[in-house]
Coordinates of all heavy atoms in Angstrom, one line a residue:
K2 N 31.9 15.0 7.1 CA 31.0 14.5 6.1 C 30.8 13.0 6.3 O 31.6 12.4 6.9 CB 31.5 14.8 4.7 CG 31.7 16.3 4.5 CD 32.2 16.6 3.1 CE 32.4 18.0 2.8 NZ 33.0 18.3 1.5
A20 N 12.7 -4.9 -4.6 CA 12.0 -6.0 -3.9 C 10.5 -5.9 -3.9 O 9.8 -6.7 -3.3 CB 12.5 -6.0 -2.4
E27 N -5.4 -2.0 -7.7 CA -6.1 -0.8 -7.3 C -5.7 0.4 -8.2 O -4.5 0.6 -8.5 CB -5.7 -0.5 -5.8 CG -6.4 0.7 -5.3 CD -6.1 1.0 -3.8 OE1 -5.2 0.3 -3.3 OE2 -6.8 1.8 -3.2
G38 N 10.1 17.8 11.9 CA 11.0 17.1 12.8 C 12.3 17.9 12.9 O 12.2 19.1 13.1
L54 N 37.5 34.0 3.9 CA 38.6 34.8 4.4 C 39.9 34.7 3.5 O 41.0 35.0 4.0 CB 38.9 34.3 5.8 CG 37.8 34.5 6.9 CD1 38.2 33.9 8.2 CD2 37.4 36.0 7.0
G75 N 3.0 16.7 -2.1 CA 1.9 16.1 -2.8 C 2.4 15.2 -3.8 O 3.5 15.3 -4.3
G99 N 33.9 31.7 15.3 CA 35.3 31.3 15.6 C 36.2 32.5 15.6 O 35.7 33.7 15.4
S126 N 2.5 -5.8 5.4 CA 1.2 -6.3 5.8 C 0.1 -5.4 5.1 O 0.5 -4.6 4.3 CB 1.0 -6.3 7.4 OG 1.0 -4.9 7.8
L168 N 14.7 6.9 3.5 CA 14.1 5.6 4.0 C 13.0 6.0 5.0 O 13.1 7.0 5.7 CB 15.1 4.7 4.6 CG 16.1 4.0 3.7 CD1 17.0 3.1 4.5 CD2 15.3 3.1 2.7
V170 N 9.1 4.4 7.2 CA 8.0 3.4 7.4 C 6.7 4.2 7.3 O 6.6 5.4 7.5 CB 8.1 2.8 8.8 CG1 9.4 1.9 8.8 CG2 8.2 3.8 9.9
V184 N 13.6 9.3 7.4 CA 14.9 10.0 7.5 C 15.4 10.2 6.1 O 15.4 9.2 5.3 CB 16.0 9.2 8.3 CG1 16.1 7.7 7.8 CG2 17.3 9.9 8.3
R188 N 21.6 16.9 -0.1 CA 23.0 17.4 -0.4 C 22.8 18.8 -0.9 O 22.2 19.0 -2.0 CB 23.6 16.5 -1.5 CG 25.0 16.8 -1.9 CD 25.9 16.2 -0.9 NE 27.3 16.1 -1.5 CZ 28.4 16.1 -0.8 NH1 28.3 16.0 0.6 NH2 29.6 16.0 -1.3
S200 N 20.7 15.9 7.2 CA 19.8 14.8 7.5 C 18.5 15.4 8.1 O 18.6 16.1 9.1 CB 20.4 13.8 8.5 OG 21.6 13.2 7.9
V204 N 8.3 13.1 11.2 CA 7.0 12.4 11.3 C 5.9 13.2 10.7 O 5.9 14.4 11.0 CB 6.7 12.0 12.8 CG1 5.4 11.3 12.9 CG2 7.8 11.2 13.4
P244 N -48.5 -48.4 -2.2 CA -47.6 -47.8 -3.3 C -46.2 -48.4 -3.2 O -45.7 -48.8 -2.2 CB -47.6 -46.3 -3.0 CG -47.8 -46.2 -1.5 CD -48.8 -47.4 -1.1
A249 N -36.2 -41.0 -2.8 CA -36.3 -39.6 -2.4 C -35.7 -38.7 -3.5 O -34.7 -39.1 -4.2 CB -35.5 -39.4 -1.1
V272 N -5.4 -16.4 2.7 CA -6.7 -16.2 3.4 C -6.4 -15.3 4.7 O -5.6 -15.6 5.5 CB -7.4 -17.5 3.9 CG1 -8.7 -17.2 4.6 CG2 -7.6 -18.4 2.7
I287 N -21.8 -27.3 7.5 CA -22.0 -28.6 6.8 C -21.4 -29.8 7.6 O -21.2 -30.9 7.0 CB -21.3 -28.5 5.4 CG1 -19.8 -28.4 5.6 CG2 -21.9 -27.4 4.6 CD1 -19.0 -28.6 4.3
T296 N -17.4 -28.3 -4.5 CA -16.6 -27.6 -5.6 C -16.4 -26.2 -5.2 O -17.3 -25.4 -4.9 CB -17.4 -27.7 -6.9 OG1 -17.7 -29.0 -7.3 CG2 -16.6 -27.0 -8.1
E298 N -14.9 -22.6 -6.6 CA -14.7 -21.9 -7.9 C -14.2 -20.5 -7.5 O -14.8 -19.8 -6.7 CB -15.9 -21.8 -8.7 CG -16.4 -23.1 -9.3 CD -17.7 -22.9 -10.1 OE1 -18.2 -21.8 -10.2 OE2 -18.2 -23.9 -10.7
D332 N -13.0 -33.8 4.0 CA -12.3 -34.8 3.3 C -11.8 -34.2 2.0 O -12.5 -33.7 1.1 CB -13.3 -35.9 2.9 CG -12.6 -37.1 2.3 OD1 -11.5 -37.0 1.9 OD2 -13.3 -38.1 2.1
V347 N -20.9 -11.9 -12.4 CA -22.2 -11.7 -11.9 C -22.9 -10.5 -12.5 O -24.1 -10.5 -12.7 CB -22.1 -11.6 -10.3 CG1 -23.5 -11.3 -9.7 CG2 -21.6 -12.9 -9.7
E375 N -19.9 -24.8 -3.9 CA -21.1 -25.6 -4.2 C -21.0 -27.0 -3.5 O -20.0 -27.7 -3.6 CB -21.3 -25.8 -5.7 CG -22.6 -26.5 -6.0 CD -22.8 -26.6 -7.5 OE1 -23.3 -25.6 -8.1 OE2 -22.5 -27.7 -8.1

Side-chain angles (χ1 to χ4, degrees):
K2 299 181 180 179
E27 184 176 10
L54 301 176
S126 68
L168 287 176
V170 293
V184 55
R188 186 84 162 154
S200 297
V204 175
V272 181
I287 66 169
T296 302
E298 295 179 354
D332 187 353
V347 174
E375 183 175 279

